[in-house]
Amino acid sequence: MKARATEARRAAVLGSPIAHSLSPVLHRAAYRELGLTGWTYDRFEVDEDGLPGFFAQLGPEWAGLSLTMPLKRAVIPLLDEISDTAASVEAVNTVVLTDDGRRVGDNTDIPGMVAALREHGIEQTDTAAILGAGATASSALAALARICTGEVVAYVRSAARAAEMRRWGERLEVDVRVADWADAAEALHHPLVVATTPAGTTDALASAVPERPVTLFDVLYDPWPTTLAARWSAYGGAVVSGLDLLVHQAVLQVEQVTGRAPAPLDAMRKAGEHALAGR
């Protein structure tokens, strides 16, 4: 149902830690641009133990939720339905609270990654590399399932992570080869490199950037640029940032929760850039 502009509706982002989240900045910018003057968007520090209690007190004024770590899997048992996209990686980052009281989960990270790459002219790639093997890496693998026609090489630190990436590859029907993190510099020669690791992890790889790099998708956005992204850009390579991902997945969230489309991508990106510049 299309949202009424002056109707008092609530939405929020949940997670732990949550103080750093840019989601309120992006969603509030969207509401302003869409003229949804009665809508509010907040952030709440909620961990896995506190999630059921938070859901129990949600009233009819609530329209939707954004979820970040560590809640993307913990929320699934609390939902009435999840999308095929969310089920494919067992992770929900968006919950729409319908007028008839149902809780519907989706994952906008995956199509958000695809949209961010498309915005930078990446429609398809023959091969790709993923740095890391955490929850974000599984979403990256699901995104690559849509655009990569050949092998994806995942560079990981442990046998357990290697087994997990192989399992995700089989589940998502992606040709995955696992390599040791000690050889991660080899990843930089692929036409598309997706860095999914925490801040500082890829800094040591910057000195190994080839003379003619192609495309780096670094999911971090603060601090930005990362050491790897800065060197990549200096050598003339294309860089897709974590802010690109954050904005594109938030656009899809706004459209689902409010029923208004298209969401104001440019206004949301500018609000995010302004907030990061002030940090």
Side-chain angles (χ1 to χ4, degrees):
M1 187 176 77
K2 190 172 183 179
R4 293 189 293 273
T6 58
E7 183 180 11
R9 301 303 303 273
R10 297 189 68 184
V13 59
L14 316 180
S16 182
I18 200 62
H20 69 287
S21 176
L22 274 184
S23 291
V25 171
L26 303 181
H27 287 254
R28 291 168 186 168
Y31 295 168
R32 286 193 299 272
E33 197 74 12
L34 294 170
L36 297 175
T37 56
W39 284 61
T40 59
Y41 190 101
D42 302 298
R43 64 166 67 92
F44 291 94
E45 181 82 18
V46 179
D47 61 15
E48 292 164 292
D49 292 337
L51 189 59
F54 189 93
F55 265 72
Q57 55 82 43
L58 294 175
E61 74 278 10
W62 282 88
L65 299 167
S66 307
L67 301 170
T68 186
M69 298 304 292
L71 305 178
K72 293 183 180 183
R73 289 182 180 162
V75 73
I76 293 176
L78 304 176
L79 305 178
D80 298 301
E81 176 187 346
I82 66 172
S83 68
D84 290 343
T85 300
S88 73
V89 291
E90 299 175 3
V92 166
N93 78 327
T94 306
V95 176
V96 176
L97 304 168
T98 67
D99 290 341
D100 60 1
R102 301 181 75 250
R103 302 165 176 173
V104 181
D106 193 14
N107 185 308
T108 64
D109 287 330
I110 295 166
M113 285 184 177
V114 174
L117 287 165
R118 183 177 297 122
E119 186 179 41
H120 285 77
I122 311 300
E123 299 277 352
Q124 184 176 298
T125 184
D126 295 334
T127 65
I130 295 177
L131 298 173
T136 305
S138 63
S139 292
L141 198 58
L144 290 172
R146 303 183 180 193
I147 67 167
C148 185
T149 60
E151 181 183 67
V152 176
V153 185
Y155 292 82
V156 304
R157 290 186 181 275
S158 70
R161 291 294 197 183
E164 186 172 345
M165 288 303 284
R166 290 190 188 97
R167 180 174 70 86
W168 282 119
E170 292 174 3
R171 180 168 181 161
L172 296 165
E173 298 183 345
V174 179
D175 180 13
V176 174
R177 176 167 62 87
V178 178
D180 191 272
W181 184 263
D183 300 319
E186 296 174 359
L188 310 186
H189 295 274
H190 282 75
L192 174 60
V193 182
V194 185
T196 69
T197 52
T201 307
T202 62
D203 288 359
L205 297 176
S207 61
V209 172
E211 289 186 5
R212 295 182 180 179
V214 186
T215 302
L216 170 69
F217 191 164
D218 195 325
V219 303
L220 297 174
Y221 62 84
D222 187 19
W224 187 262
T226 63
T227 302
L228 179 60
R231 178 66 66 91
W232 200 276
S233 293
Y235 278 32
V239 175
V240 185
S241 75
L243 182 61
D244 293 323
L245 167 59
L246 191 66
V247 171
H248 278 283
Q249 65 82 25
V251 160
L252 298 170
Q253 288 184 332
V254 168
E255 291 175 352
Q256 289 190 29
V257 171
T258 68
R260 296 286 188 94
L265 172 67
D266 290 342
M268 295 168 71
R269 190 197 310 277
K270 288 177 182 176
E273 290 172 344
H274 180 74
L276 287 175
R279 289 188 176 181

